Amino acid sequence: MAWTDFFVKELPNAKTVVSPNGRPYISMEIAPKEYVEVHMTTSALELPFKVIFKRFDQLGALLEEREYAQAGTKDLARKFAIETASFRLNSIELVLDGE
């Protein structure tokens, strides 16, 4: 089983995407034009998984890209991805509510 299969089964709305350089990663849409991604790293100096948040404008230009976590296991990466999605959705709601 590929590492991506685990995340597709465990994360809501998760899909496997292939980058322009041919590397697969997981993308989970949490709101229109907002995504949490899980990437497998190749460097021996980093933990195996990175959790990244990306937000795009209406034309598809990247507005925001933040690395939220690095994880040593698939289970931790899954938990971090879910937490990142929850944090982002809650922070946007607070801003839009004027709090």
Side-chain angles (χ1 to χ4, degrees):
M1 175 164 72
W3 69 272
T4 55
D5 294 341
F6 171 81
F7 291 103
V8 169
K9 287 193 308 190
E10 297 290 326
L11 294 174
N13 301 323
K15 296 178 182 176
T16 301
V17 180
V18 179
S19 69
N21 63 358
R23 296 193 46 86
Y25 65 92
I26 298 299
S27 180
M28 179 175 66
E29 184 174 24
I30 58 172
K33 308 289 183 189
E34 293 189 0
Y35 303 89
V36 173
E37 298 178 352
V38 179
H39 294 259
M40 181 177 265
T41 62
T42 57
S43 170
L45 302 175
E46 296 177 312
L47 292 173
F49 300 99
K50 284 186 181 183
V51 177
I52 300 168
F53 170 79
K54 290 186 181 177
R55 184 166 57 107
F56 297 89
D57 67 9
Q58 294 300 323
L59 300 175
L62 185 63
L63 291 175
E64 181 179 1
E65 180 176 3
R66 294 183 186 205
E67 182 179 320
Y68 272 88
Q70 289 191 8
T73 66
K74 289 187 280 190
D75 284 327
L76 279 176
R78 179 187 57 81
K79 288 178 185 177
F80 289 143
I82 291 170
E83 286 178 2
T84 301
S86 176
F87 291 153
R88 292 302 296 181
L89 291 175
N90 290 334
S91 69
I92 295 296
E93 287 177 12
L94 290 175
V95 171
L96 294 177
D97 289 343
E99 295 180 11

